[in-house]
């Protein structure tokens, strides 16, 4: 007798159905409208070298081809070969260009539009055969990609203290501020200006004319290395000058020179820096008060062979200025004296601004805390990169990694022989948090990131690092340069793949090279946008409302420092925190010597990039372009809208058919109705 096994046919059918589903998976995946994510995981992720292979080091960042993507400049280990690597979005990597071989060992490279052509040139600082000076050479940009290595322009040499970029006369052309070998020994006027006198219509034009700097007051001998910066310090959206000086006794002092446009600069403030002060960085790190502060490490001892600093402290010098008005109805004035700034008056100078670097419990403007309070294992930091000749200062890098509106810190922590990059978040003050008092009060505290940072913790041979936005996706990523002792290459990019419920804004002020927004070649047959030609000295101030309706202000400088491989991006990036509104006021300041050197942009959309083309002619309108970054949620919003419309259409159709059926029934009922009144 034949007995059928129960469930056998069902099992076979289930198996066949499963195979059918597997066959349909590729088709389903092909029809899926959303691209697969390159990086997955809510953490910092190692992204590799991105095409920067070899043993070179990144010495500068810039948009060399004007495509609004960040490119890098790499110097080979021999310190002679310079190569520009252009970002390719499709391959998600950098692509090398034709290298330039310099004749002398390169010390620093500064990208800038020195010839005012709308493209970045390369200013190369190299070791000189003459003791105590740096040779300066400019490689002009070509209309196509690359630089003119066959026709370099020689420039008057400087002292070993590297000159910085500045617009000294308000014409938006890049000048240089520094010292020549002869002026360094001058007791009265050691500071010199390499004034840009380039005339593109003359083939024999010189690039710079060296003259005394328009500084009224006692000038100092700039230290080497220095932390000189071009940044707005008095709050008028006009860049001032910060200098670090040698005091002649092994210590350092600082000077702040305020920009008075056509009247030159005057010495506003000077003072002594704390013992052991190293490289100074600038950012608005306080409680979103709209002022630029100073952040720097100080160490009791630095090993000259390894560059490791011992018994180190992190110092924050807050900039005291008139704050933002808390009441919307406040005029900001009391008996003719300004007591606060209204949202529309952010670019009003506060002549009474000050820094107080006195280490005292009674001084709220200066906060100093040991590195061991942040990194509990030791108090050592990498202060100088001795793998380069001459050694390069390693500064604390500032950037808003979590988009909360408060800059965070990148530092290289030393533990034994390990050199590990660390991300330190700016957090509200509380008990036991570094930078706060014992009672937990203070402006801001600092806490090392501990979750999702395995990609950084694995690195033990870091020598330099910086923030940058890889692939322009609206998050600050990290580039770590390494000695190669771990056998994993000399450059590693770390993708910031954390999800932040906050917004950002990127902005760049161009140098006015092309008045109408387009540049043309010599015969006028080709045109291009000058999108890559930012310059030092632009200033941004903005006000924004958080989700609770509280108004706050912040300030960001554009490319304030360019010396000693500062590795600052040509654009400015700032987090906005959580907000449900547009940016109320975005003030954009330039170095133009005109009555209104800034503009106020209202209602700027967050998560976008703003490109400002200022007009060098007084009275002409400035041009602004805004580029929105499509978020990952855009396709989902599209699907939601389409599905919602389909559901509404089905509901309308059903109601329409139902209404039509009811009308037909009513018409038939009326047609069969007998009019008894007519009988």
């Amino acid at each position: 007798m034949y007995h059928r096994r129960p469930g056998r046919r069902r099992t076979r059918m289930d198996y066949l159905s499963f195979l059918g589903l597997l066959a349909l998976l590729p088709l389903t995946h092909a029809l899926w409208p959303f691209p697969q994510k390159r990086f997955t995981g809510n953490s910092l992720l190692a992204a590799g070298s991105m095409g920067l292979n070899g043993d070179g080091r990144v010495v500068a960042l810039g948009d060399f081809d004007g495509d609004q993507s960040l490119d890098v400049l790499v110097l080979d280990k021999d310190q002679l070969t310079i190569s520009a690597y252009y970002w390719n979005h499709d391959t998600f990597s950098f692509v090398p260009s034709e290298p330039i071989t310099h004749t002398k060992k390169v010390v620093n490279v500064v990208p800038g539009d020195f010839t005012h052509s709308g493209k970045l040139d390369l200013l190369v600082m190299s070791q000189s055969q003459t003791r105590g000076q740096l040779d300066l050479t400019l490689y002009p940009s070509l209309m196509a990609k690359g630089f003119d290595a066959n026709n370099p322009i020689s420039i008057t040499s400087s002292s070993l203290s590297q000159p910085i970029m500045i617009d000294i006369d308000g014409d938006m052309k890049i000048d240089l501020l520094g010292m020549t070998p002869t002026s360094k020994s001058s007791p009265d006027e050691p500071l010199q200006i390499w004034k840009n006198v380039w005339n593109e219509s003359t083939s024999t034009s010189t690039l710079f004319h060296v003259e005394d700097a328009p500084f009224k007051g006692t000038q100092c001998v700039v230290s080497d290395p220095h932390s000189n910066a071009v940044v707005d310090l008095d709050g008028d959206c006009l860049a001032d000058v910060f200098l670090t000086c040698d005091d002649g006794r092994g210590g350092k002092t600082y000077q702040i020179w305020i920009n008075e446009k056509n009247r030159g600069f005057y010495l506003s403030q000077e003072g002594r820096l704390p013992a052991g002060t190293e490289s100074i960085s600038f950012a608005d790190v306080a409680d979103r008060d709209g002022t630029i502060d100073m952040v720097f490490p100080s160490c009791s001892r630095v090993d000259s062979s390894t560059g490791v600093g011992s018994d180190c402290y992190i110092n924050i010098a807050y900039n005291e200025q008139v704050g933002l008005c808390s009441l919307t109805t406040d005029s900001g004035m009391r008996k003719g004296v300004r007591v606060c700034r209204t949202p529309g008056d952010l670019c009003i100078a506060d002549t009474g601004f000050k820094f107080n670097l006195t280490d005292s419990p009674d001084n709220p403007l200066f906060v100093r805390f040991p590195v061991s309070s942040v990194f509990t294992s030791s108090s050592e930091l990498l202060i100088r990169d001795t793998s380069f000749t001459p050694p390069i200062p390693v500064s604390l890098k500032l950037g808003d990694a979590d988009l909360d509106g408060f800059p965070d810190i990148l530092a290289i922590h030393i533990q034994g022989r390990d050199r590990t990059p660390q991300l330190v978040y700016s957090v509200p003050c509380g008990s036991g948090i570094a930078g706060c008092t014992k009672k937990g009060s203070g402006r801001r505290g600092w806490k090392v990131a501990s979750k999702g940072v395995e990609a950084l913790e694995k690195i033990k041979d870091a020598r330099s690092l910086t923030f940058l936005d890889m692939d322009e996706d609206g998050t600050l990523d990290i580039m770590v340069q390494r000695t190669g002792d771990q056998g994993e290459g000399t450059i590693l990019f770390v993708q910031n793949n954390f999800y932040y419920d906050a917004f950002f804004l990127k902005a760049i002020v161009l140098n006015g090279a092309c008045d109408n927004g387009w540049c043309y070649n010599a015969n006028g047959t080709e045109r291009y946008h000058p999108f890559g030609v930012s310059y030092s000295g632009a200033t941004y101030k903005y006000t924004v409302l958080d989700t609770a309706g509280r108004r706050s202000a912040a300030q960001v400088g554009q490319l304030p420092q360019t010396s000693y491989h500062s590795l600052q991006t040509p654009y400015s990036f700032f987090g906005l925190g959580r907000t449900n509104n547009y940016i109320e006021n975005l003030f954009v300041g330039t170095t133009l010597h005109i009555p209104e050197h800034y503009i106020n942009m209202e209602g700027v959309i967050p998560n976008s990039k703003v490109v400002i083309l200022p007009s060098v002619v007084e009275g002409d309108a400035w041009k602004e372009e805004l580029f929105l970054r499509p978020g990952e949620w855009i396709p989902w919003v599209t699907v939601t809208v389409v599905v919602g419309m389909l559901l509404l259409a089905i509901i309308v159709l059903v109601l329409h058919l139902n209404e039509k059926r009811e009308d037909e029934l009513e018409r038939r009922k009326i047609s069969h109705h007998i009019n008894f009144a007519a009988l």
Side-chain angles (χ1 to χ4, degrees):
M1 181 180 292
Y2 175 75
H3 295 280
R4 183 173 63 86
R5 296 180 181 177
R8 182 179 182 90
R9 182 181 300 274
R10 186 189 308 169
T11 304
R12 184 177 298 169
M13 291 300 296
D14 291 344
Y15 180 70
L16 292 176
S17 301
F18 178 71
L19 289 180
L21 288 175
L22 287 179
L24 289 175
L25 279 179
L27 178 61
T28 305
H29 180 73
L31 295 176
W32 185 249
F34 311 120
Q36 185 177 1
K37 290 185 178 181
R38 186 178 297 272
F39 299 100
T40 57
N42 191 30
S43 63
L44 298 179
L45 303 173
S49 64
M50 296 296 179
L52 301 184
N53 301 315
D55 55 4
R57 67 180 299 138
V58 176
V59 294
L61 308 173
D63 182 6
F64 299 112
D65 54 358
D67 64 349
Q68 301 197 63
S69 295
L70 191 66
D71 310 313
V72 299
L73 205 65
V74 176
L75 178 64
D76 281 0
K77 190 175 182 180
D78 59 8
Q79 293 187 223
L80 296 174
T81 306
I82 307 169
S83 302
Y85 282 73
Y86 299 94
W87 178 253
N88 188 306
H89 173 75
D90 295 331
T91 61
F92 206 79
S93 63
F94 292 98
V95 179
S97 65
E98 189 70 24
I100 297 174
T101 301
H102 200 62
T103 56
K104 303 171 186 176
K105 278 197 171 184
V106 176
V107 173
N108 190 30
V109 184
V110 179
D113 185 15
F114 294 91
T115 58
H116 222 56
S117 63
K119 286 182 174 289
L120 291 180
D121 312 308
L122 296 183
L123 175 65
V124 178
M125 305 178 187
S126 56
Q127 294 180 352
S128 175
Q129 295 179 350
T130 304
R131 185 180 178 85
Q133 74 177 37
L134 289 176
D135 287 342
L136 307 181
T137 307
L138 186 86
Y139 290 99
S141 61
L142 297 172
M143 288 299 102
K145 286 186 178 180
F147 308 94
D148 191 355
N150 298 322
N151 298 287
I153 301 174
S154 297
I155 302 169
T156 303
S157 300
S158 77
S159 66
L160 294 180
S161 299
Q162 298 180 11
I164 61 173
M165 293 199 302
I166 186 174
D167 176 18
I168 200 70
D169 52 0
D171 61 356
M172 301 289 286
K173 294 182 179 180
I174 300 177
D175 311 304
L176 299 177
L177 171 65
M179 299 183 301
T180 63
T182 56
S183 72
K184 181 179 179 179
S185 58
S186 172
D188 299 325
E189 294 180 333
L191 297 176
Q192 299 289 294
I193 288 294
W194 283 254
K195 188 175 181 180
N196 193 323
V197 293
W198 177 260
N199 186 353
E200 61 182 355
S201 62
T202 305
S203 59
T204 59
S205 174
T206 58
L207 182 59
F208 290 115
H209 177 263
V210 180
E211 58 188 42
D212 293 337
F215 284 28
K216 306 171 185 177
T218 303
Q219 301 175 16
C220 72
V221 176
V222 177
S223 59
D224 177 34
H226 60 72
S227 301
N228 297 353
V230 180
V231 63
D232 172 32
L233 296 175
D234 64 346
D236 61 353
C237 298
L238 180 64
D240 309 306
V241 175
F242 179 92
L243 301 177
T244 54
C245 317
D246 284 332
D247 64 358
R249 300 186 299 272
K252 291 182 180 180
T253 61
Y254 71 93
Q255 290 186 342
I256 296 176
W257 295 83
I258 298 301
N259 192 344
E260 290 192 304
K261 298 183 182 178
N262 293 322
R263 292 181 293 176
F265 293 76
Y266 75 91
L267 182 59
S268 170
Q269 188 174 340
E270 59 183 334
R272 179 167 297 278
L273 293 169
T277 294
E278 298 297 332
S279 297
I280 302 175
S281 305
F282 297 86
D284 184 359
V285 298
D287 46 358
R288 299 184 83 168
D289 58 353
T291 61
I292 294 293
D293 311 306
M294 293 190 287
V295 182
F296 57 92
S298 61
C299 303
S300 60
R301 186 178 67 87
V302 178
D303 191 322
S304 59
S305 61
T306 62
V308 175
S310 304
D311 191 20
C312 296
Y313 285 76
I314 294 178
N315 307 268
I316 302 176
Y318 292 111
N319 188 345
E320 185 178 44
Q321 288 188 29
V322 173
L324 185 68
C325 297
S326 58
L327 300 177
T328 56
T329 58
D330 199 331
S331 65
M333 304 291 290
R334 296 286 188 278
K335 297 181 180 180
V337 178
R338 186 173 298 279
V339 295
C340 64
R341 287 192 177 105
T342 61
D345 294 331
L346 292 187
C347 289
I348 301 298
D350 181 5
T351 56
F353 85 99
K354 67 176 180 179
F355 288 96
N356 186 347
L357 278 67
T358 303
D359 184 16
S360 170
D362 299 328
N363 179 21
L365 297 181
F366 187 73
V367 176
R368 185 173 188 258
F369 53 93
V371 169
S372 58
S373 65
V374 183
F375 314 112
T376 55
S377 53
S378 75
S379 62
E380 294 183 333
L381 292 176
L382 184 64
I383 299 301
R384 297 190 186 98
D385 179 10
T386 57
S387 65
F388 192 83
T389 304
I392 304 169
V394 179
S395 61
L396 299 176
K397 300 298 183 181
L398 305 178
D400 192 358
D402 54 0
L403 306 183
D404 64 349
F406 299 94
D408 309 304
I409 294 178
L410 273 179
I412 300 178
H413 179 229
I414 305 298
Q415 186 175 8
R417 294 185 177 181
D418 295 341
R419 303 181 175 191
T420 304
Q422 297 278 5
L423 174 61
V424 183
Y425 285 126
S426 173
V427 297
C429 264
S431 179
I433 296 179
C436 307
T437 64
K438 293 181 180 180
K439 296 181 180 180
S441 60
R443 298 197 182 190
R444 295 295 291 179
W446 304 90
K447 187 176 182 180
V448 65
S450 57
K451 294 183 179 179
V453 293
E454 291 79 9
L456 293 181
E457 293 176 343
K458 292 179 181 178
I459 302 172
K460 308 299 181 183
D461 59 348
R463 61 177 175 176
S464 173
L465 63 167
T466 193
F467 284 112
L468 50 78
D469 184 7
M470 190 167 59
D471 199 39
E472 311 298 324
D473 62 354
T475 58
L476 277 187
D477 309 302
I478 301 171
M479 181 183 70
V480 182
Q481 306 207 63
R482 314 171 67 175
T483 60
D485 294 342
Q486 290 183 262
E488 299 176 357
T490 59
I491 299 174
L492 173 68
F493 290 90
V494 179
Q495 171 76 19
N496 184 354
N497 211 52
F498 285 111
Y499 171 73
Y500 302 111
D501 185 16
F503 294 96
F504 74 92
L505 186 71
K506 296 174 70 173
I508 182 172
V509 176
L510 307 185
N511 66 348
C514 307
D515 295 336
N516 61 353
W518 287 97
C519 296
Y520 295 86
N521 60 357
N523 53 19
T525 57
E526 297 182 11
R527 67 175 187 172
Y528 53 90
H529 279 297
F531 281 143
V533 290
S534 66
Y535 73 103
S536 293
T539 302
Y540 307 95
K541 278 189 172 185
Y542 68 89
T543 57
V544 66
L545 294 173
D546 62 15
T547 52
R550 292 185 297 265
R551 178 182 288 107
S552 60
Q555 181 176 358
V556 183
Q558 176 174 291
L559 204 61
Q561 295 171 307
T562 53
S563 300
Y564 304 99
H565 304 191
S566 58
L567 294 179
Q568 294 184 349
T569 58
Y571 51 77
S572 293
F573 183 103
F574 31 101
L576 304 175
R578 298 186 64 188
T579 178
N580 52 12
N581 207 340
Y582 297 109
I583 300 174
E584 284 187 310
N585 297 276
L586 174 63
F587 286 85
V588 181
T590 65
T591 53
L592 286 169
H593 288 183
I594 57 177
E596 294 293 334
H597 59 272
Y598 61 88
I599 59 171
N600 179 12
M601 302 174 61
E602 298 181 349
V604 177
I605 302 174
N607 279 19
S608 62
K609 180 177 181 180
V610 182
V611 179
I612 298 97
L613 296 87
S615 175
V616 297
V617 180
E618 183 179 351
D620 287 359
W622 295 15
K623 296 181 179 179
E624 309 97 28
E625 297 186 38
L626 188 140
F627 299 87
L628 288 174
R629 184 189 71 87
E632 296 179 355
W633 42 267
I634 292 294
W636 294 105
V637 172
T638 304
V639 170
T640 303
V641 171
V642 171
V643 171
M645 291 179 63
L646 289 175
L647 290 176
L648 290 175
I650 292 173
I651 293 173
V652 171
L653 180 61
V654 170
L655 292 176
H656 174 72
L657 294 177
N658 193 31
E659 181 70 17
K660 188 176 181 180
R661 184 175 62 84
E662 293 289 340
D663 291 343
E664 182 65 21
L665 291 176
E666 186 176 353
R667 186 186 65 80
R668 290 180 179 180
K669 185 183 294 185
I670 293 175
S671 64
H672 290 85
H673 180 69
I674 300 175
N675 191 347
F676 293 96
L679 294 177

